[in-house]
Amino acid sequence: MNLPNKITIIRILFIPVFLLFLLVPFPLGEFSVAGGNIAVSHFIAAMLFIIASVTDGLDGYYARKYSLITDLGKFLDPLADKLLITAALVALVQMDIVPSWMVIIILCREFAVTALRLIAVKEGIVIAASNLAKWKTRVQVVSISALLLHNIPFTYFHLPFNMISLWAALIITVVSGWDYFVKNRHFFHSI
């Protein structure tokens, strides 16, 4: 197994550890930062999420730079992204931080685009991630990070950045999903 695939596997293995620190009430205390309080366990969970998210770019960089792109990597990399984002959003719903309807819309888009890609693969075509979809992932990661950090340091400025970024993530998620289906609507003529 090459280095990019190992990085992707590590990213997947971060998910249960991230969830453990986020959802289990460890008695680690809390601290104040920039006008807001955060539990130490939630801070650790947020850092694990951010590290796992950053490794997404790292594995892709190494795969492209050293020509280490494999079929396994093509499968695992987007799977790791979806697992991490899904785990974080579902946990945030459980914690009553994010409205469930927003998460349902985001996850429906992910499943729909995955289904579209499977239809394309059946036709022998690989649908690459669009630039809009790459931005969608970045905005989702920023939004989830702000939510996990309880909006710190934006609480100091009384700016609800976490909710603003969540709305931005929802909008770009829907728009990028629509974009995939409009650009690939020809697949539905053969069904």
Side-chain angles (χ1 to χ4, degrees), residues 6-63:
K6 287 178 183 176
I7 293 170
T8 302
I9 296 287
I10 290 169
R11 188 161 83 245
I12 292 170
L13 294 175
F14 264 52
I15 296 169
V17 180
F18 153 70
L19 289 173
L20 184 72
F21 278 100
L22 186 62
L23 298 175
V24 174
F26 290 109
L28 301 175
E30 64 178 39
F31 61 95
S32 283
V33 177
N37 293 330
I38 187 167
V40 171
S41 60
H42 287 184
F43 183 77
I44 293 169
M47 292 303 106
L48 289 170
F49 176 83
I50 291 167
I51 290 167
S53 298
V54 169
T55 63
D56 179 34
L58 192 62
D59 62 6
Y61 169 78
Y62 280 115

Side-chain angles (χ1 to χ4, degrees), residues 45 91 160 167 191:
W167 275 99
I191 297 176

Side-chain angles (χ1 to χ4, degrees), residues 134-180:
K134 290 176 184 177
W135 274 104
K136 179 250 337 164
T137 302
R138 291 178 190 125
V139 173
Q140 286 177 346
V141 166
V142 168
S143 175
I144 292 168
S145 298
L147 290 158
L148 291 170
L149 289 168
H150 302 278
N151 205 43
I152 294 170
F154 299 100
T155 52
Y156 183 77
F157 300 106
H158 304 289
L159 177 67
F161 178 79
N162 54 354
M163 294 311 293
I164 293 168
S165 64
L166 180 61
W167 275 99
L170 178 68
I171 292 166
I172 196 168
T173 297
V174 170
V175 169
S176 70
W178 180 260
D179 182 60
Y180 271 113

